[in-house]
Amino acid sequence: MYIAIVIVGLVAITLILHFASPWWLTPLASNWSLIDTTIEISFWITGFVFIAVNLFLAWTVWRYRHNKDRRSHYEPENKKLEIWLTALTSIGVIAMLTPGLIVWAKVVHVPDNAMEVEAIGQQWQWTFRFPGEDGVLGAANARFVSNANRFGLDPSDPDGADDILIEHHRLHLPVDQPVKLVLRSNDVLHNFAVPQFRVKMDLVPGTQTYQWFTPTREGTFDVLCEELCGLAHYTMKGQVQVETEPAFETWLETYPTFADVQSTNAVNLASGETRYQSCAGCHGADGQGNDALNAPNLTHLDSRYMARQLQHYRNGIRGTERADSPGQTMATIAQSTDVESEADLLAYIESLDPVDVGGTLSGDVSNGQRLYGACIACHGAQGDGKVLLSAPALAGQSDLYLKRQLEHFSMGWRGKHPEDQFGTQMRLMTRTIHSPERLRDLLAYIATL
Amino acid sequence: MTHIAIADQEPELHHPRTFIGKYIWSQDHKVIAIQYACTAIFVGLVALMLSVVMRLQLGFPDQFDFINPNMYLQFVTMHGMIMVIYLLTALLLGGFGNYLIPLMVGTRDMVFPYLNMLSFWFYFLSVLVLLASFFVPGGPTGAGWTLYPPQSILEGTPGSGMGIVMMLASLAIFIIAFTMGGLNYVSTILQARTRGMTLMRMPLTIWGIFTATILGLFAFPALLVSAIMMLFDSILGTSFFMPAIVSLGEATDYEGGSPILFQHLFWFFGHPEVYIVALPAFGMVSDVLSVHARKNIFGYRMMVWAIVIIGGLSFVVWAHHMYVSGMNPYFGFFFATTTLIIAVPTAIKVYNWVLTLWQGNIHLTVPMLFAIGFIFTFTHGGLSGLFLGNVVIDLPLSDTFFVVAHFHMVMGVSPIMVLFAAIYHWFPLVTGKQLNTRLGMIHFWGTFIGTYAIYLPMHYIGFLGVPRRYYALGDTSFIPDSAHALNANITIAVIIVALFQLIFIFNLFWTIKREPKSRINPWDAASLEWHTPDVPPHHGNWGRELPTVHRWAYDYSVPGVVKDFIPQHVPDSEVVYEPGYDRFTSGREST
Amino acid sequence: MRGFSALTEKPWLAMPQGPMQFDPEGGTPSAQIALRFLLMVISIAFILIFVTFLTRSQYPDFQALAGEPWLPFNQSPRLWATTAVLVAASAAMHWAWRSVKTQRPDGVMLGISVGGFLALVFIMAQWTTWNYLVNLGYGVSENPANAYFFLFTGLHALHLFGGVLAVVRVFIRIGRGCSISQVAVAVKACTTYWHYLLALWLLLFFLLTRTPETYAIIAAACGLG
């Protein structure tokens, strides 16, 4: 008996939730309003069936509940009724499928005036590539990926030389310009999804896929990877910033072409050594750092990582928190360093012999090893970091420095700035540490590497 | 393959004498069914626990230090795989299939009892291998239940070493077990039916199990093949599915393979798998509805055809799981069309269930409540499938929680509602005792309302665009705080529903220990399984002679007949009519 | 078809023919039905691998094992020899089945023994072929064509080995004194299985020793190009 009432109640709750809830598709920011329309159509049709079937069910259960003086009606089948129901259902299905297929035809056909852009996925970051002057994306293959050629472009393909490489997780796009987003993965499956654009597509290693859309609204939107791509899948986020054509052009000009990246300038180690003298005060003559001055060991770090950190210090991305005095100090120093000769300096630091700073913290090493399982993928089993994944070395680093940085990540002192992609990921990852004891265990393990 | 059909043998030929022969190495389909059911329910509880841990992290991110991203992905994977394969497939076909087929078609046992026993022990071995993967270095695989390469066998995914190998090995063993069982079910249904049991007199349960078994026999090879090929890729370094890639900064030796090829193989199995679970459930719920509404199933022939058509169509819709996989986008037209066509026979089944109740005389027993609950949840889940099957709507919704909500509604909650209906319904046959009704009612209400409280809001989280398989969402620009609160509520609902299942487990033990024997055939069912000489049926099921079937399984409330049901084995000459009723003018006697 | 008309029966109507309309006695033995389904299951598995094989054969890195003089299976006397063994095994099993029909126990024993033994010889021969390939530098992971060769022949050999186990079982049953009529169904099943695996091997043999051009034609014909 109650079941009839409950079913009516559940139908009512479903309707209330549907019409009154604040949770619905995010406001559209692309041309795909037709997809929303198709969803609307499906809603009305399925909603009608849902209400009709369940209310009839509830009424039937109530009306024909057990009564010992009554017998069930005997009717094996009713052809006419069944044919009617089949026909009506078919009409409903056709009414949903037809608009769906019409819209799909539009999804499949990329307009001729679409601008081609490539999105590249790798565990667990996004990078992008524009075709440059010639309007053609050069050939690429995961086989070519190396520290010097992080996008895996074919060096022998002349079309690739002028391709503009965006080694940043934010893609800028001009508003109202159709975009054909070519998708490529260098490692595993990924998926490029922007909820506000409605379309999504997998990135499949070994082949190219695509999707197209026209951004219609200015603003910044999240790019999510929506195909499970390993441990840190949930941290693989990017952004799309939609802006006016001139702003877009200005932004694009700040990025180098493949040819620019390939032609490396010779570095001057002697100049670097001279420049380093101003750093040696805190970081030590051998670059081994100094815990008393809160200066980390630089000898294991790669120049890409250090360059990125200097840039972050300089641009107010790292070291902005007032209570973080070492960070504040470094930010001030970074402001005054000479950007032009930075490459020399970093090359010199990279050339220093690695020095291992012993651990000072004690903890449960075996528990630390378990916790380190979440770090291995990027920082390596030996903690020596992976340049290609933008992960710095941890082994040999001062554990007090690592402790401070992990605390900063978890408190949001570091990695909160939207420009700091890897900081954001570290912020998500450090949340799994949970307690000071576990942090000590982890650091005690890293000290053994 | 070398056995002679049981029907041709002396009835008491294989009577086991020792305890081990009777309960461990048993060749009796009923004992094997119970072995299957207990194992399946046990792993099901493990998977339920995994889902609770997962939900704790989703609802209350970072509040619990016993779960980390590795474990989260491993639990997601194992929860999915266990529920779909080791619980639902095994319980519906290995458990109910084994128990009901010989009883419903009127035979003494499966045609190959020895093979049947092997089937269970292979299944048991596959479960052991699966559970053992929790204890190997690196833990079980965390590649998602779809096990997509390349990530499933590459560093950076939990359990990419031993874990995935154990998973694939366990699946291969399961498939061997299923094939042995499946050959048995199909041969028994085709060859060993008793006198008078024509195909169209079989209960819909048998039709559902029969069609599902054929689907399983034809679909599992795809999984087996993909598992073997992936094992080659993983262990021998071949490149069936592995293109040239970089893995976590290191170049690999793989060259030229295609990950999409795996997806095609996987879903060629994976979609029929949905119906391997759904069709037996469709069949069993039809029988439960009919018995408890004291009315024949409405449109029996249409129901049979629908089962067969759905089974056939299920082989040509697989790529609707792959709309955004990067396959040729033109496939979308074909697969969206076939997918939406399958909605028509499915809808007919829903209409016929409701029409079976219509003008019936509905006893709201516990099994009936679960069956009615099933109609509601299945309608909801089926309708949300029309969104995902329609290729353009899948673009915004695929890989979000909408998908999770949809498939849990349609192949999680719905088959489980039927499983409960079936357990409450057939328990008196299996044990001679009726499960405690009061506990059953509490269990039903908690499960029915609780699961809807979990999955209804989850659709809306999906509409927002919240992706699935995310350990934590972090900061996004588009997810309001209210959605996080909603997520926490869903988790609370999950915990409540999980607790209600303990009531069910308690009820099983309580009933076996404390409840008195119930009356034989307590629901007054007409189908053959309730009319064995002994309840619970003894080894060999039927006394000296096999029953002869004279009618279909749905002769309820036949006009003019005194009792409101006529058992299948009762000949027309023994049917007692009301005085003065002229059965020759009632229309039933003509063809 | 009988099957379809059976599905239009209205089961709620009383049957004028009476309840004896379906009679399980006689007809095909269950083992035959089960074997047919098993062969369908195995066929589906192999067809699916064929499909992936044809797809994969059109990728640029695929190097067929025949087509150029230096490739291992451009001339394949080795495979012809193993084929002859399998043909002989199949013939022996057929002889066993003939002997069942003519009620000659010795023939049955001889037939299944030789058939089973030759099957084992075939498996050994396949093993030497694998070694031969590996020694030539055509290891399993060198190229997808090699990988498929090992996969196909390995699975085929595994199925044959399963058949040998069934034959051993029949052998034991006869040894324990089962009469010919008691093992008739089993011998029939084994014979069918041997013929099936021979046919499958011939197909594999044909498929695995084609030139790239032939693969292109077959793949195009199957719409997989």
Side-chain angles (χ1 to χ4, degrees):
Chain A
M1 195 62 286
Y2 296 115
I3 185 83
I5 301 165
V6 168
I7 286 176
V8 174
L10 290 180
V11 171
I13 289 171
T14 309
L15 291 179
I16 292 167
L17 185 76
H18 182 67
F19 288 107
S21 87
W23 310 299
W24 190 233
L25 294 166
T26 47
L28 186 71
S30 79
N31 57 317
W32 289 117
S33 60
L34 282 174
I35 292 181
D36 289 9
T37 313
T38 320
I39 294 180
E40 274 314 295
I41 295 171
S42 293
F43 241 115
W44 287 107
I45 296 173
T46 56
F48 170 77
V49 176
F50 178 72
I51 297 168
V53 168
N54 285 312
L55 290 186
F56 183 71
L57 172 68
W59 178 78
T60 303
V61 171
W62 174 79
R63 169 68 181 75
Y64 298 103
R65 65 189 182 278
H66 177 58
N67 175 345
K68 64 180 184 326
D69 299 326
R70 195 167 49 79
R71 271 185 100 135
S72 300
H73 180 67
Y74 183 84
E75 188 182 27
E77 67 180 16
N78 181 337
K79 269 211 184 110
K80 211 170 142 192
L81 181 61
E82 285 174 277
I83 288 169
W84 265 106
L85 286 171
T86 310
L88 280 176
T89 309
S90 305
I91 292 169
V93 164
I94 291 167
M96 284 185 282
L97 181 63
T98 315
L101 293 185
I102 292 171
V103 180
W104 183 246
K106 292 188 198 299
V107 173
V108 173
H109 295 285
V110 184
D112 293 335
N113 62 341
M115 175 175 80
E116 205 162 283
V117 187
E118 185 184 58
I120 302 142
Q122 72 172 61
Q123 287 169 321
W124 289 276
Q125 50 186 298
W126 292 104
T127 47
F128 304 93
R129 176 162 69 120
F130 283 85
E133 297 284 311
D134 61 359
V136 180
L137 288 166
N141 189 309
R143 278 281 165 269
F144 299 115
V145 173
S146 69
N147 285 340
N149 183 359
R150 301 164 67 80
F151 284 68
L153 266 58
D154 183 349
S156 64
D157 184 359
D159 289 338
D162 65 343
D163 287 1
I164 302 168
L165 308 184
I166 315 291
E167 205 178 336
H168 193 277
H169 64 291
R170 184 185 302 131
L171 169 68
H172 288 231
L173 289 175
V175 71
D176 292 330
Q177 160 69 44
V179 176
K180 178 185 182 185
L181 198 63
V182 179
L183 303 167
R184 181 163 66 85
S185 165
N186 281 329
D187 43 32
V188 300
L189 298 170
H190 299 284
N191 181 300
F192 185 98
V194 176
Q196 290 89 341
F197 292 169
R198 301 296 188 258
V199 282
K200 64 165 69 89
M201 189 54 70
D202 277 6
L203 289 71
V204 184
T207 181
Q208 276 192 350
T209 56
Y210 70 88
Q211 57 177 288
W212 83 270
F213 54 86
T214 310
T216 52
R217 186 152 62 81
E218 289 179 37
T220 306
F221 309 101
D222 289 306
V223 177
L224 303 175
C225 174
E226 297 202 0
E227 184 65 63
L228 182 56
C229 59
L231 174 69
H233 169 54
Y234 70 106
T235 66
M236 185 168 166
K237 288 179 186 162
Q239 285 176 336
V240 174
Q241 184 164 333
V242 179
E243 59 198 8
T244 57
E245 180 81 30
F248 165 74
E249 295 292 349
T250 319
W251 168 81
L252 193 59
E253 276 164 19
T254 61
Y255 283 88
T257 63
F258 181 55
D260 295 343
V261 175
Q262 292 302 89
S263 61
T264 43
N265 298 323
V267 288
N268 183 342
L269 284 181
S271 142
E273 185 171 5
T274 322
R275 295 277 324 279
Y276 182 71
Q277 297 319 310
S278 55
C279 314
C282 296
H283 290 283
D286 299 329
Q288 79 279 21
N290 184 340
D291 279 339
L293 299 172
N294 296 319
N297 178 359
L298 302 179
T299 57
H300 288 275
L301 299 177
D302 60 284
S303 58
R304 285 183 50 85
Y305 173 77
M306 289 187 284
R308 190 168 66 242
Q309 296 312 314
L310 281 175
Q311 189 232 336
H312 284 180
Y313 278 124
R314 211 176 286 133
N315 298 344
I317 297 167
R318 185 177 170 187
T320 50
E321 177 61 42
R322 283 200 176 283
D324 173 17
S325 67
Q328 295 256 303
T329 311
M330 191 60 208
T332 319
I333 294 168
Q335 303 287 356
S336 62
T337 53
D338 174 22
V339 184
E340 295 297 311
S341 59
E342 192 182 279
D344 296 340
L345 171 67
L346 296 180
Y348 173 73
I349 299 176
E350 239 183 0
S351 73
L352 293 170
D353 289 330
V355 180
D356 283 356
V357 179
T360 55
L361 299 165
S362 59
D364 179 351
V365 175
S366 65
N367 189 38
Q369 183 171 17
R370 204 176 57 76
L371 291 167
Y372 189 72
C375 318
I376 283 184
C378 293
H379 293 283
Q382 297 308 313
D384 43 9
K386 288 185 179 171
V387 181
L388 208 51
L389 304 187
S390 307
L394 305 175
Q397 185 56 277
S398 147
D399 57 1
L400 290 175
Y401 170 75
L402 290 178
K403 176 168 182 282
R404 195 165 65 242
Q405 295 309 313
L406 287 172
E407 285 166 353
H408 289 182
F409 278 126
S410 67
M411 288 185 294
W413 289 8
R414 183 177 172 189
K416 198 157 194 179
H417 196 283
E419 287 290 322
D420 189 357
Q421 181 195 2
F422 303 108
T424 312
Q425 292 185 334
M426 277 308 293
R427 229 152 51 75
L428 281 165
M429 296 305 294
T430 49
R431 285 194 199 162
T432 61
I433 296 176
H434 284 290
S435 69
E437 293 76 36
R438 281 160 57 117
L439 176 57
R440 268 204 302 280
D441 295 347
L442 176 63
L443 292 169
Y445 175 71
I446 292 174
T448 67
L449 292 172
Chain B
M1 246 159 294
T2 51
H3 281 276
I4 297 167
I6 275 284
D8 308 338
Q9 296 174 355
E10 288 286 284
E12 305 293 318
L13 197 65
H14 281 311
H15 231 57
R17 287 183 183 81
T18 60
F19 175 83
I20 290 183
K22 212 166 176 178
Y23 297 108
I24 309 291
W25 306 114
S26 174
Q27 300 185 22
D28 181 353
H29 71 101
K30 297 182 291 296
V31 178
I32 293 171
I34 292 166
Q35 288 172 325
Y36 252 115
C38 292
T39 317
I41 290 174
F42 170 74
V43 275
L45 287 174
V46 172
L48 180 71
M49 253 160 52
L50 297 180
S51 69
V52 171
V53 178
M54 254 151 63
R55 273 315 311 186
L56 282 176
Q57 166 61 25
L58 285 176
F60 307 98
D62 307 315
Q63 298 294 304
F64 302 96
D65 62 6
F66 51 82
I67 178 158
N68 59 38
N70 268 317
M71 286 162 66
Y72 176 80
L73 289 178
Q74 290 168 331
F75 288 4
V76 168
T77 306
M78 295 311 260
H79 166 81
M81 197 59 102
I82 291 177
M83 287 296 192
V84 171
I85 308 264
Y86 299 88
L87 170 72
L88 288 173
T89 308
L91 185 51
L92 283 162
L93 294 175
F96 282 96
N98 251 320
Y99 202 93
L100 294 175
I101 291 171
L103 286 167
M104 280 186 157
V105 303
T107 174
R108 299 198 183 278
D109 206 320
M110 291 290 179
V111 288
F112 313 114
Y114 184 75
L115 205 60
N116 207 18
M117 178 189 79
L118 278 185
S119 166
F120 168 72
W121 287 105
F122 269 76
Y123 164 65
F124 192 75
L125 180 66
S126 76
V127 169
L128 287 185
V129 173
L130 181 82
L131 294 180
S133 79
F134 277 95
F135 304 101
V136 297
T141 177
W145 88 280
T146 48
L147 306 177
Y148 281 177
Q151 61 263 38
S152 56
I153 59 172
L154 290 180
E155 292 284 325
T157 299
S160 56
M162 284 289 275
I164 183 74
V165 170
M166 302 269 288
M167 178 84 254
L168 296 172
S170 171
L171 284 174
I173 299 170
F174 180 89
I175 293 164
I176 294 169
F178 179 86
T179 307
M180 293 196 282
L183 292 176
N184 240 326
Y185 311 152
V186 173
S187 320
T188 306
I189 292 172
L190 285 179
Q191 293 303 107
R193 279 170 287 137
T194 189
R195 255 177 226 91
M197 182 62 88
T198 61
L199 286 177
M200 294 304 272
R201 279 177 173 177
M202 298 195 303
L204 285 171
T205 299
I206 297 298
W207 270 108
I209 291 172
F210 178 62
T211 316
T213 306
I214 290 182
L215 293 190
L217 286 174
F218 293 173
F220 272 115
L223 182 64
L224 183 66
V225 164
S226 51
I228 292 172
M229 289 166 79
M230 191 140 79
L231 279 174
F232 267 58
D233 280 359
S234 170
I235 298 172
L236 301 176
T238 55
S239 301
F240 290 121
F241 306 129
M242 305 294 281
I245 46 176
V246 176
S247 171
L248 295 175
E250 324 267 337
T252 60
D253 294 334
Y254 295 114
E255 179 78 50
S258 164
I260 294 184
L261 209 54
F262 175 88
Q263 298 182 20
H264 279 297
L265 279 178
F266 183 87
W267 288 115
F268 185 79
F269 144 76
H271 196 79
E273 169 64 28
V274 173
Y275 291 100
I276 292 169
V277 170
L279 292 180
F282 288 175
M284 295 198 296
V285 81
S286 307
D287 284 358
V288 170
L289 285 168
S290 164
V291 172
H292 296 267
R294 313 307 305 155
K295 186 163 174 274
N296 61 283
I297 190 77
F298 185 86
Y300 174 85
R301 296 194 302 163
M302 202 67 135
M303 292 299 255
V304 172
W305 300 338
I307 285 179
V308 175
I309 291 169
I310 291 171
L313 282 175
S314 74
F315 279 103
V316 290
V317 297
W318 79 88
H320 69 214
H321 298 269
M322 297 169 58
Y323 288 146
V324 299
S325 73
M327 66 171 181
N328 185 340
Y330 287 92
F331 288 179
F333 293 105
F334 174 78
F335 284 102
T337 309
T338 51
T339 303
L340 264 68
I341 288 174
I342 222 172
V344 178
T346 314
I348 289 168
K349 294 200 73 82
V350 174
Y351 301 147
N352 283 2
W353 288 322
V354 180
L355 290 171
T356 299
L357 297 178
W358 185 54
Q359 298 188 329
N361 195 7
I362 300 166
H363 294 255
L364 288 174
T365 55
V366 179
M368 188 60 157
L369 287 176
F370 273 107
I372 294 171
F374 161 82
I375 298 180
F376 180 84
T377 57
F378 184 73
T379 306
H380 195 286
L383 291 172
S384 62
L386 289 167
F387 286 74
L388 294 171
N390 205 346
V391 55
V392 280
I393 306 182
D394 189 58
L395 285 178
L397 295 182
S398 75
D399 295 316
T400 68
F401 266 97
F402 188 89
V403 176
V404 179
H406 158 72
F407 71 68
H408 275 90
M409 208 68 185
V410 82
M411 83 172 288
V413 176
S414 299
I416 283 175
M417 295 294 267
V418 176
L419 278 173
F420 285 132
I423 291 172
Y424 283 96
H425 180 77
W426 277 294
F427 203 75
L429 177 65
V430 179
T431 65
K433 294 174 172 188
Q434 213 169 322
L435 281 164
N436 184 294
T437 304
R438 186 180 299 263
L439 289 172
M441 289 281 183
I442 298 171
H443 175 220
F444 167 73
W445 289 112
T447 307
F448 178 54
I449 298 178
T451 47
Y452 201 58
I454 297 170
Y455 295 112
L456 176 66
M458 202 182 273
H459 288 88
Y460 289 86
I461 294 202
F463 274 121
L464 275 172
V466 176
R468 63 193 281 213
R469 291 172 172 170
Y470 262 39
Y471 168 74
L473 272 172
D475 308 315
T476 54
S477 57
F478 63 95
I479 300 168
D481 287 340
S482 60
H484 293 293
L486 190 62
N487 234 337
N489 285 323
I490 291 175
T491 297
I492 292 168
V494 168
I495 294 168
I496 294 172
V497 170
L499 290 176
F500 270 96
Q501 305 321 304
L502 298 181
I503 297 178
F504 168 70
I505 301 291
F506 172 75
N507 195 355
L508 290 181
F509 288 108
W510 170 269
T511 301
I512 290 169
K513 271 249 171 267
R514 294 292 168 86
E515 292 284 320
K517 282 262 172 205
S518 72
R519 146 174 103 80
I520 287 174
N521 191 7
W523 318 116
D524 289 338
S527 49
L528 208 52
E529 80 274 19
W530 293 98
H531 301 281
T532 52
D534 310 284
V535 175
H538 285 180
H539 189 69
N541 298 341
W542 316 98
R544 284 236 146 272
E545 214 173 314
L546 289 175
T548 301
V549 167
H550 296 270
R551 58 193 68 253
W552 68 341
Y554 301 101
D555 261 345
Y556 295 103
S557 309
V558 179
V561 178
V562 173
K563 286 175 85 173
D564 78 341
F565 72 109
I566 314 173
Q568 268 188 293
H569 64 288
V570 172
D572 282 345
S573 56
E574 290 174 22
V575 176
V576 184
Y577 284 86
E578 281 163 11
Y581 183 82
D582 180 5
R583 64 194 170 115
F584 294 101
T585 57
S586 67
R588 258 174 61 74
E589 293 296 318
S590 65
T591 38
Chain C
M1 262 177 70
R2 199 168 61 86
F4 279 110
S5 67
L7 293 184
T8 56
E9 176 187 310
K10 293 181 175 174
W12 53 89
L13 297 176
M15 289 181 194
Q17 308 93 313
M20 301 298 286
Q21 195 190 35
F22 173 77
D23 191 341
E25 303 298 324
T28 330
S30 306
Q32 292 256 32
I33 297 284
L35 182 66
R36 275 178 212 166
F37 271 97
L38 181 66
L39 296 187
M40 277 195 265
V41 169
I42 298 172
S43 304
I44 288 173
F46 276 93
I47 288 169
L48 288 169
I49 310 180
F50 284 145
V51 172
T52 67
F53 175 79
L54 288 176
T55 314
R56 195 71 176 77
S57 72
Q58 299 310 300
Y59 289 13
D61 66 321
F62 187 93
Q63 288 170 350
L65 291 168
E68 302 289 347
W70 58 84
L71 290 169
F73 292 131
N74 200 46
Q75 298 291 320
S76 35
R78 179 179 281 278
L79 296 184
W80 280 112
T82 55
T83 307
V85 173
L86 200 59
V87 170
S90 209
M93 290 304 289
H94 202 75
W95 172 256
W97 171 234
R98 285 283 300 275
S99 305
V100 166
K101 283 202 286 194
T102 52
Q103 291 291 317
R104 286 203 312 263
D106 296 351
V108 178
M109 278 301 251
L110 186 69
I112 60 170
S113 320
V114 173
F117 175 72
L118 287 179
L120 287 176
V121 171
F122 174 82
I123 295 171
M124 292 305 293
Q126 294 291 64
W127 176 264
T128 60
T129 307
W130 297 332
N131 280 333
Y132 163 76
L133 276 181
V134 172
N135 292 335
L136 277 184
Y138 287 85
V140 61
S141 63
E142 301 301 320
N143 191 271
N146 313 357
Y148 272 106
F149 184 86
F150 282 88
L151 178 69
F152 271 130
T153 53
L155 283 178
H156 178 263
L158 205 62
H159 281 93
L160 197 56
F161 187 73
V164 171
L165 291 184
V167 164
V168 168
R169 210 170 157 232
V170 177
F171 204 82
I172 292 171
R173 283 177 63 194
I174 297 177
R176 281 189 187 159
C178 281
S179 70
I180 291 196
S181 56
Q182 278 173 305
V183 294
V185 175
V187 173
K188 175 90 195 287
C190 287
T191 308
T192 314
Y193 192 65
W194 252 245
H195 294 343
Y196 172 81
L197 286 181
L198 173 63
L200 181 60
W201 166 248
L202 292 175
L203 189 62
L204 289 176
F205 184 15
F206 171 79
L207 194 76
L208 291 167
T209 55
R210 288 308 95 192
T211 60
E213 296 74 37
T214 319
Y215 289 134
I217 293 166
I218 304 175
C222 298
L224 296 165

